[in-house]
Each structure stands twice: as structure tokens, then as C-alpha cells.
Amino acid sequence: MEYNGSPTEKAITAGELDRRHVGQSVSFQPNDFTVVFGAIAGIARTEALVYLSLNGVGGGTHLKDEYDLPIDKQVYLQLDPLGSAEKGLTDAASFVKDKLDEITRNIREREHEKSE
């Protein structure tokens, strides 16, 4: 199995995880047979490993809620929906402003042509 995240996730290495990521949804493939999805409850690190404690994963017969990952292991974080929405709204507002400026310019040109 080769898990590469989804379009709504951002790939980073486990070594990049820090306290800002606690509470965020994460997914990763700790071995050849398992893909894990959960919320980060805690992060600890050494020079070589990152230890993740997860909410929403443990409690099942075969599910663990703690993982040791090499610092270069790819993990996938959910993109920030508010940040993505804000960028989309900013882009839309810019587009609307450009169109309104163009319409205003066309109206002024027509009025100028009529007055000549």
C-alpha cells in the first residue's frame, strides 16, 4: 500500500510537527499495511524520532493511539478550511472589483463619446 494523502491535505515531514499542530487532523502510513487517521493529542521528539499521541484512533483491537515516526516520515495535515475560504473570497473580491472598474471605465468612455 502506498498512501499519498488526499487533495485536502498538505504533506510535511514528521520532524516539522510542533505544538501548533496539536489538535489538527493527521494521516500517515506507519507501516506497509496500515494507514492512520486521527487528531494529534500530543507530540514529543528526539533527534531521530517524533512520537505522536492521537485522539480518535486507540481503543480498537488492532488500533494504537501512539506512534514513533522517523523525523523524515511524510505525514499529511488537513488544510485549514478557514484559510482556504479566506483566499477564495479574496480572489473573488479582486475579480469583482476588476470587473466593476472595467464597467465603470466603459460607461465613462461612452458618456465621453456622446458628449463630443
Side-chain angles (χ1 to χ4, degrees):
M1 178 184 332
E2 183 73 27
Y3 181 71
N4 293 314
S6 74
T8 62
E9 294 176 314
K10 176 177 123 180
I12 66 170
T13 61
E16 294 177 68
L17 292 172
D18 60 29
R19 71 182 65 179
R20 294 173 297 142
H21 299 107
V22 172
Q24 289 188 13
S25 293
V26 66
S27 59
F28 56 92
Q29 186 174 345
N31 58 46
D32 291 339
F33 311 105
T34 308
V35 177
V36 176
F37 303 92
I40 299 173
I43 302 168
R45 63 183 331 124
T46 64
E47 286 186 23
L49 293 172
V50 174
Y51 302 94
L52 290 183
S53 174
L54 302 176
N55 287 325
V57 177
T61 312
H62 303 288
L63 300 176
K64 299 184 341 177
D65 58 2
E66 295 180 356
Y67 290 88
D68 319 350
L69 302 174
I71 59 170
D72 60 349
K73 177 72 177 170
Q74 286 282 12
V75 299
Y76 302 90
L77 295 172
Q78 288 289 319
L79 293 175
D80 175 25
L82 293 178
S84 298
E86 181 180 357
K87 182 181 181 333
L89 290 173
T90 301
D91 292 348
S94 176
F95 177 78
V96 169
K97 182 188 177 310
D98 291 346
K99 285 297 178 187
L100 288 173
D101 290 347
E102 182 180 330
I103 291 169
T104 303
R105 203 171 34 253
N106 288 341
I107 290 172
R108 286 185 182 149
E109 287 176 4
R110 287 181 190 161
E111 288 177 353
H112 181 68
E113 289 174 1
K114 286 181 183 179
S115 66
E116 291 183 344

